[in-house]
Amino acid sequence: MKPSLLVARAVFPEVLEKLTMHFELTSNQDDTLWSSVELIRQLQDKVGVFTTGSERIDAAVLSACPDLKICANMAVGFNNFDVVAMTAAGVLATNAPDVLTETTADFGFGLLLATARRITESEHFLRAGRWHRWRYDMFAGAEVHGSTLGILGMGRIGQGIARRGAHGFGMQVIYHNRARLDEATEVACGAHYVSKEELLKRCDHLVLVLPYSAESHHAIGAAELAQMKPTATLVNIARGGIVDDVALAAALRQGRLAAAGLDVFEGEPTVHPDLVALSNVVLTPHIASATIPTRRAMANLAADNLIGFLIHGQPLTPLNPQVLGR
């Protein structure tokens, strides 16, 4: 008898077909957003679950689902997983790194351009029928080429953005990270390591690409925003909660920051109304990895982790590999 598996959100049909070859499948192709109670009900008797960022796997879920052995996230981020609780329960956690790096870096740089050059704001102006004449300062934004790009969090995606800025736009790239990169990687990225304080003070454009954790919660708050240039822009493609959205909205409204581009939000899909009300914010619905080839690769990697672990005992990208030895 095949192991029982839950696919918690809608996914590509061909991925379901691949999983069906190995598992008795229950799939949510209607893409219903389940409450924690409903998720627990769906997980009864399941040994594995294919998740996205919307399914919270915590101690309560794990306690109620004793048969669960693996949760495979179709995302590089995993702040929906309580990894400590999963490890204590002997449940493997996996994510989908690498396959979305370049696509997400493309989007991050695109969001930077849209923010700095006021593309969304000017399009809304035009669509509203308000463009009646040209003016020398109409939607004059910030320079991108030759400016200073600051990156907070210099993993794979941060490095991709650095390369685009340094080699494509002649930007001076500075970064801050928990650990400094090796010299060869810095050279390849055209990037220079600085303190967080110097990063905030010097950058013309700040891009956030650090993982979310208790330590990075509100890594950019009122105090950090106060250190930035009033002409600077901020782009967040990391996770909601890294930025204090209320403090950011206040800085933008009061002219203490020029503009922001946000793909992630605290409490998403809800977006703070103060941000929605501002014209100098580009807002996108968590789509930085959204190309069909990349999303297909992410889904296939999650599926391959499930097959690799439950069928062959060898997951591809474990987050808590210590579980494997039990």
Side-chain angles (χ1 to χ4, degrees):
M1 185 175 179
K2 295 178 180 179
S4 295
L5 187 76
L6 175 67
V7 179
R9 293 291 302 274
V11 72
F12 297 98
E14 62 267 30
V15 175
L16 291 180
E17 289 177 14
K18 177 163 69 172
L19 290 170
T20 301
M21 294 173 61
H22 302 278
F23 305 107
E24 291 293 335
L25 215 60
T26 299
S27 64
N28 180 17
Q29 285 299 89
D30 290 337
D31 211 37
T32 303
L33 287 175
W34 291 326
S35 66
S36 179
V37 171
E38 180 60 19
L39 178 62
I40 288 171
R41 189 181 75 81
Q42 295 286 345
L43 279 172
Q44 294 305 302
D45 303 320
K46 305 297 190 299
V47 296
V49 56
F50 180 116
T51 58
T52 67
S54 59
E55 290 75 53
R56 175 69 178 162
I57 305 296
D58 56 18
V61 171
L62 296 166
S63 176
C65 306
D67 295 319
L68 194 62
K69 302 300 179 188
I70 177 175
C71 303
N73 229 23
M74 183 188 151
V76 64
F78 50 91
N79 53 300
N80 58 313
F81 286 172
D82 184 336
V83 178
V84 173
M86 293 175 72
T87 303
V91 175
L92 185 69
T94 70
N95 66 337
D98 299 326
V99 293
L100 49 70
T101 297
E102 298 303 328
T103 297
T104 304
D106 282 348
F107 186 89
F109 211 88
L111 192 53
L112 186 160
L113 288 168
T115 301
R117 296 302 307 275
R118 304 176 67 179
I119 291 173
T120 300
E121 185 181 359
S122 62
E123 184 192 10
H124 290 169
F125 177 87
L126 184 151
R127 287 179 179 274
R130 297 168 60 192
W131 184 30
H132 304 301
R133 59 174 182 160
W134 182 89
R135 180 180 162 85
Y136 75 94
D137 60 351
M138 184 171 67
F139 295 106
E143 291 284 12
V144 175
H145 73 275
S147 64
T148 298
L149 170 61
I151 301 174
L152 185 58
M154 200 64 159
R156 300 176 185 91
I157 297 169
Q159 292 171 34
I161 291 169
R163 292 193 302 271
R164 285 158 175 77
H167 304 312
F169 288 79
M171 302 175 84
Q172 180 181 4
V173 181
I174 56 178
Y175 78 96
H176 183 73
N177 201 42
R178 286 179 296 180
R180 183 171 181 173
L181 302 177
D182 62 83
E183 184 179 358
T185 304
E186 286 188 344
V187 170
C189 293
H192 304 277
Y193 180 83
V194 296
S195 67
K196 183 180 177 182
E197 182 180 9
E198 185 177 353
L199 181 83
L200 296 171
K201 289 180 177 179
R202 285 179 54 190
C203 69
D204 297 308
H205 307 286
L206 175 64
V207 181
L208 307 178
V209 210
L210 64 166
Y212 180 81
S213 66
E215 291 74 25
S216 65
H217 180 74
H218 286 185
I220 300 296
E224 289 77 17
L225 293 165
Q227 297 178 60
M228 296 178 67
K229 301 174 185 178
T231 54
T233 71
L234 179 149
V235 170
N236 186 8
I237 58 168
R239 279 292 186 270
I242 288 172
V243 176
D244 182 339
D245 287 351
V246 175
L248 175 61
L252 291 163
R253 187 172 56 250
Q254 296 164 12
R256 293 184 283 109
L257 192 71
L262 307 173
D263 188 49
V264 291
F265 309 89
E266 289 192 87
E268 62 183 56
T270 300
V271 180
H272 197 286
D274 288 355
L275 290 171
V276 176
L278 293 168
S279 61
N280 56 340
V281 187
V282 181
L283 305 170
T284 56
H286 205 145
I287 56 170
S289 64
T291 68
I292 293 299
T294 294
R295 288 284 170 87
R296 183 174 281 118
M298 293 164 64
N300 274 303
L301 181 49
D304 289 342
N305 270 308
L306 290 161
I307 295 166
F309 178 61
L310 292 172
I311 305 302
H312 306 295
Q314 295 180 325
L316 301 179
T317 55
L319 293 166
N320 53 348
Q322 58 270 42
V323 168
L324 299 174
R326 297 183 184 178

